[in-house]
């Protein structure tokens, strides 16, 4: 399989995607809601991988190295069926797509020659980054 890069995921998808953080609302999901989510494209963020009942995500977004490093070096344990994306960490580790950083709290997607989103604003929120990157990847909802 070809190495996954930020350019290779542009406009690759369509339809809708759900973005899951690590808030307590995940604990309130009914069995029916959980089952329905297994049939959708999912972006997981932050320390989602620690949730013992995690629904396997299609994509994983990390903006803080300490969310996936530290004791045990768990980078390889963070799973996603389609792509794992990381910002503020260049070069990205093997198996991860690095989003190029222009300056603090601003990630330059346009700087990679893609042009649609000149900057993805971070504001220290992985869900905010995932939302913007998902739109750039082609998701409409």
């Amino acid at each position: 399989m070809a190495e996954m890069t930020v350019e290779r995921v542009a406009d690759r998808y369509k339809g809708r995607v759900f973005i899951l953080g690590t808030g307590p609302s995940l604990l309130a999901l009914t069995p029916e809601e959980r089952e329905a989510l297994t049939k959708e494209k999912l972006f997981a963020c932050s320390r989602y991988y620690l949730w013992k009942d995690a629904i396997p995500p299609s994509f994983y977004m990390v903006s803080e190295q300490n969310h996936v490093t530290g004791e045990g070096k768990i980078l390889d344990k963070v799973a996603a069926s389609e792509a794992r994306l990381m910002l503020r960490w260049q070069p990205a580790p093997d198996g991860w797509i690095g989003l190029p950083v222009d300056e603090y709290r601003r990630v330059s997607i346009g700087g990679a020659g893609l042009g649609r989103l000149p900057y993805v604003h971070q504001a220290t929120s992985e869900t905010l980054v995932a939302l913007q990157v998902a739109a750039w990847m082609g998701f409409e909802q």
Side-chain angles (χ1 to χ4, degrees):
M1 184 173 147
E3 180 183 354
M4 191 62 84
T5 63
V6 70
E7 292 87 359
R8 291 181 59 85
V9 295
D11 293 317
R12 185 174 175 177
Y13 302 92
K14 62 181 182 176
R16 67 183 182 179
V17 65
F18 288 81
I19 299 172
L20 305 178
T22 55
S25 60
L26 292 175
L27 299 175
L29 290 173
T30 67
E32 294 79 17
E33 290 168 331
R34 286 182 54 82
E35 178 62 27
L37 282 174
T38 65
K39 298 171 177 69
E40 301 285 349
K41 295 287 187 190
L42 302 178
F43 244 109
C45 300
S46 189
R47 292 185 171 104
Y48 178 82
Y49 69 91
L50 293 172
W51 185 30
K52 68 179 176 77
D53 294 324
I55 301 162
S58 310
F59 311 98
Y60 210 101
M61 171 61 62
V62 173
S63 68
E64 298 294 333
Q65 292 179 30
N66 65 354
H67 287 177
V68 293
T69 59
E71 297 298 320
K73 304 287 185 196
I74 55 75
L75 273 176
D76 293 333
K77 296 178 184 176
V78 176
S81 63
E82 302 204 27
R84 298 180 300 174
L85 301 104
M86 168 177 296
L87 59 118
R88 293 178 28 166
W89 193 347
Q90 302 294 322
D94 288 342
W96 290 79
I97 296 173
L99 300 177
V101 174
D102 182 59
E103 62 184 55
Y104 182 66
R105 295 182 189 228
R106 200 164 70 165
V107 179
S108 174
I109 293 293
L114 303 169
R116 183 178 323 150
L117 299 178
Y119 297 100
V120 176
H121 294 274
Q122 180 188 6
T124 66
S125 169
E126 289 164 332
T127 53
L128 176 60
V129 173
L131 174 67
Q132 295 170 88
V133 172
W136 173 77
M137 293 169 76
F139 291 107
E140 297 100 16
Q141 298 178 9

